[in-house]
């Protein structure tokens, strides 16, 4: 396989990257078995990673990226099966905890699936708090790469109480106004 040279070179984090990013693709296709296989393969390679590898070589597959991508995969599966909301919340919570607060765009990126799944579990108050954090933080960061995450959050928030609907409207306005 294509990951063999990286594995032979001892760059296990590099080998974790392809299956990790395949997980959300399988999730969008509604294939939980393939998601589980991809996540397990990525976690195994990541766990085998040498801590002595230069940061510049493995920066793209940091802890928060691992958990964020797992959260995205479970969020996408939750579109088909709401039993995946809890694993999505757990992974997103871990990603948020591991992200330094000064990395605002990353924090918002990790909070977005957490908010989406909070709404899905019926925790509207928590979803509103998280969505407010996203709405308030967006003007401070460039968020073009966040757009794909913001649209499902806005759609889900719009189905909840009036506060959530207002936040959904604010999110939609921000994402269509060309900011970011």
């Amino acid at each position: 396989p294509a990951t063999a040279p990286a594995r032979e070179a001892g760059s296990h984090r590099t080998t974790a990257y392809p299956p990790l990013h395949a997980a959300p693709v399988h999730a969008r296709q509604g294939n939980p078995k393939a998601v589980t296989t991809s996540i397990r393969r990525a976690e195994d390679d990541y766990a085998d990673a040498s801590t002595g590898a230069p940061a510049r070589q493995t920066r793209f597959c940091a802890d928060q990226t691992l958990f964020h991508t797992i959260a995205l995969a479970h969020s996408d599966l939750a579109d088909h099966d709401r039993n995946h909301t809890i694993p999505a919340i757990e992974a997103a919570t871990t990603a948020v905890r591991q992200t330094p607060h000064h990395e605002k765009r990353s924090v918002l990126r990790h909070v977005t699936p957490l908010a989406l799944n909070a709404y899905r579990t019926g925790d509207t108050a928590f979803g509103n708090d998280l969505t407010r954090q996203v709405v308030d933080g967006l003007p401070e960061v460039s968020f073009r790469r966040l757009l794909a995450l913001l649209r499902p959050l806005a759609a889900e928030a719009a189905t909840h109480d009036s506060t959530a609907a207002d936040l959904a409207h604010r999110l939609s306005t921000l994402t269509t106004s060309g900011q970011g």
Side-chain angles (χ1 to χ4, degrees):
T3 59
R7 187 172 284 116
E8 289 170 9
S11 185
H12 292 278
R13 283 191 183 181
T14 303
T15 63
Y17 190 71
L20 178 64
H21 287 280
V25 174
H26 294 304
R28 284 188 290 278
Q29 296 169 344
N31 189 342
K33 185 175 181 178
V35 169
T36 301
T37 300
S38 292
I39 289 172
R40 284 187 182 146
R41 185 174 297 136
E43 288 175 331
D44 288 347
D45 283 337
Y46 190 79
D48 291 340
S50 167
T51 56
R56 64 179 166 69
Q57 291 180 358
T58 60
R59 189 175 66 205
F60 61 84
C61 198
D63 292 344
Q64 61 264 34
T65 301
L66 177 73
F67 288 103
H68 173 71
T69 307
I70 292 169
L72 291 180
H74 283 290
S75 289
D76 287 342
L77 283 175
D79 288 341
H80 308 283
D81 178 357
R82 293 297 166 114
N83 289 321
H84 289 276
T85 56
I86 299 303
I89 287 170
E90 291 168 351
T93 299
T94 301
V96 170
R97 278 194 207 125
Q98 293 178 344
T99 304
H101 294 285
H102 68 275
E103 293 180 13
K104 291 184 184 209
R105 186 176 62 197
S106 292
V107 170
L108 295 179
R109 192 171 64 116
H110 303 324
V111 165
T112 301
L114 184 56
L116 171 64
N117 288 289
Y119 284 128
R120 287 175 170 168
T121 62
D123 193 346
T124 302
F126 188 46
N128 287 346
D129 290 343
L130 294 168
T131 303
R132 189 173 295 106
Q133 181 180 345
V134 172
V135 168
D136 292 347
L138 284 178
E140 299 175 29
V141 300
S142 172
F143 60 85
R144 276 180 267 254
R145 293 177 66 193
L146 285 170
L147 287 176
L149 299 175
L150 298 175
R151 289 182 182 117
L153 174 58
E156 183 68 33
T159 67
H160 291 270
D161 67 11
S162 61
T163 300
D166 178 58
L167 290 166
H169 176 72
R170 290 174 59 196
L171 261 181
S172 295
T173 300
L174 283 168
T175 58
T176 58
S177 70
Q179 289 191 11

